[in-house]
Amino acid sequence: MITKAKESEENMYDCVIVGAGPAGLTAAIYLRRNGLEVLVVEKNAPGGQMINTPRIENYPGFPYIDGASLALSMYQQVKDLQTPFLFSEVIDIRKEEDFTVYTKNQEIKTKTVVVACGMKHRTLGLLEEEKYIHKGLSWCSLCDGALYKGKDVAVLGGGNTALEDSLYLSKIVNKVYLIHRRDSFRAEHYLVEQVKKEKNIELCLREEVQSLQGEDHLEQITLKSGRVLQVNALFEAIGFEPNTNFLAHLGVLNASGFVIVDDEGKSEVDGLYAAGDVISKKVRQISTAVGDGAVVATHLAKRIQSCHLQEM
Ligand code: NAP
């Protein structure tokens, strides 16, 4: 549903922002504060990956905060600027003189676009993964952790997400097996040290998942070493990949599907910008996504305002 969005095609937006994670929400704040007509399109809940993060400890100003609260606070700040939201999935973007953004049910006209749609979680690619979704297999410890109170679970991965998930779950479940394919972690040192201190987290290093078993619900995981873990849940935290198929025809993606932009967030297509985890870059954090959103919107606001002046 669009809240207070323009209904006439003649009423074109200055900018449509695709994605309401930290990059998109920050861009919306900067553009609205510059008086520009903005629509934010989001296919899920506002906040992006933040809403699945149990505890954030490295976002300045908040020694610790849960991701859902930070997401809600950012969303409210954008809403307070009378910014319309459309909760729908963007399936295509076409450019003629201006842009048309297509969702399943609507065509939205806009002068510029900011792609800030983040990434989707990676899966192992095992045939049986489908069978155990909502039956023991999860990508969200915050959403599903409480279902396994007092039970044994496994977390897969060696990045910040896997270690944060393990710490969060260790407070709820009986035991966490943290399965990682190497013997060193790419997660922050501070998190690794915390995990090592938890008595109910067992590190299963240089191990990979071979297969999942269980009648109607996950009951055990067989590792490639042959070890079998009796667990009620597996939380996969093996990274993310960009969700950018709808942009493929525009020629703005690198070989891995990330949007290539310059240091102002501009892509090769005039008027198409991108920010946050979806762009080709090395550091993906809430703070860097916020920074990307601010940079893009600052340049974009100047560009749109100079167009408005020329039209006068
Ligand atoms: P990530 O950093 O990409 O880590 C993914 C982990 O999964 C890696 O340890 C990787 O192993 C492992 N992995 C990948 N494919 C695998 C497979 N097929 N089988 C087994 N293991 C596999 O992902 P993330 O932890 O979700 O983090 C994503 C980004 O968000 C990062 O930039 C991270 O810093 C950021 N983040 C930040 C915070 C925070 O600052 N509080 C919290 C969460 C996420 P290898 O190490 O061997 O490659």
Side-chain angles (χ1 to χ4, degrees):
M1 180 184 96
I2 289 186
T3 47
K4 290 191 210 148
K6 293 169 183 290
E7 281 164 11
S8 161
E9 281 204 1
E10 289 163 24
N11 289 333
M12 181 172 314
Y13 286 97
D14 290 318
C15 183
V16 167
I17 298 171
V18 183
L25 292 174
T26 304
I29 291 169
Y30 278 67
L31 292 174
R32 286 298 294 143
R33 283 170 56 82
N34 274 286
L36 301 176
E37 296 289 350
V38 175
L39 174 69
V40 183
V41 186
E42 167 60 56
K43 72 171 177 174
N44 296 315
Q49 287 171 42
M50 282 192 293
I51 56 175
N52 296 332
T53 307
R55 192 176 162 94
I56 295 163
E57 296 183 355
N58 56 3
Y59 190 70
F62 299 91
Y64 55 82
I65 185 168
D66 68 279
S69 297
L70 186 57
L72 186 62
S73 175
M74 287 188 191
Y75 174 59
Q76 195 55 51
Q77 192 174 353
V78 179
K79 291 287 287 176
D80 289 347
L81 292 163
Q82 282 77 50
T83 314
F85 279 76
L86 169 64
F87 290 100
S88 189
E89 182 175 354
V90 170
I91 52 173
D92 198 2
I93 295 177
R94 297 273 159 182
K95 164 133 201 218
E96 287 171 354
E97 193 180 337
D98 298 300
F99 289 90
T100 309
V101 176
Y102 294 86
T103 68
K104 276 184 190 138
N105 307 314
Q106 307 201 40
E107 295 179 15
I108 306 152
K109 301 282 184 198
T110 178
K111 289 176 195 153
T112 64
V113 176
V114 174
V115 176
C117 56
M119 299 196 285
K120 61 181 175 183
H121 59 70
R122 192 175 284 138
T123 66
L124 272 174
L126 298 173
L127 283 177
E128 63 270 31
E129 273 173 303
E130 185 93 16
K131 174 178 174 186
Y132 296 111
I133 293 174
H134 304 306
K135 293 173 183 168
L137 185 57
S138 173
W139 287 267
C140 181
S141 63
L142 189 62
C143 324
D144 299 332
L147 299 172
Y148 302 101
K149 191 172 177 192
K151 300 195 167 152
D152 291 353
V153 305
V155 173
L156 178 66
N160 277 355
T161 305
L163 274 79
E164 285 183 353
D165 284 357
S166 299
L167 287 168
Y168 173 73
L169 290 164
S170 70
K171 311 282 185 289
I172 302 170
V173 303
N174 178 56
K175 176 164 183 163
V176 178
Y177 295 96
L178 174 56
I179 307 164
H180 179 39
R181 63 187 176 185
R182 294 187 293 130
D183 55 9
S184 63
F185 292 97
R186 69 172 66 213
E188 287 170 14
H189 174 75
Y190 177 72
L191 283 171
V192 176
E193 290 307 303
Q194 277 184 288
V195 160
K196 284 180 177 167
K197 278 185 207 148
E198 289 299 330
K199 293 202 166 45
N200 65 341
I201 300 179
E202 180 181 329
L203 302 183
C204 305
L205 301 180
R206 292 186 299 276
E207 290 279 18
E208 290 182 61
V209 173
Q210 169 89 38
S211 59
L212 311 176
Q213 294 94 33
E215 192 80 5
D216 297 319
H217 194 282
L218 182 67
E219 291 167 22
Q220 64 178 39
I221 299 170
T222 303
L223 303 178
K224 285 193 179 159
S225 65
R227 184 175 177 191
V228 174
L229 304 177
Q230 307 288 337
V231 291
N232 292 97
L234 170 64
F235 292 85
E236 290 185 358
I238 55 173
F240 295 83
E241 45 201 22
N243 200 5
T244 49
N245 289 346
F246 67 100
L247 294 173
H249 62 90
L250 293 173
V252 295
L253 305 179
N254 69 13
S256 309
F258 293 98
V259 185
I260 302 166
V261 292
D262 65 12
D263 57 9
E264 294 182 3
K266 272 193 298 197
S267 76
E268 277 291 307
V269 173
D270 189 36
L272 185 85
Y273 291 69
D277 284 0
V278 78
I279 67 172
S280 174
K281 63 174 183 177
K282 293 217 168 79
V283 181
R284 293 192 170 81
Q285 298 282 300
I286 299 168
S287 51
T288 58
V290 164
D292 293 343
V295 168
V296 160
T298 303
H299 290 292
L300 201 42
K302 278 194 196 132
R303 171 198 169 119
I304 298 168
Q305 280 160 344
S306 74
C307 289
H308 285 179
L309 284 175
Q310 283 165 20
E311 285 163 12
M312 283 167 77

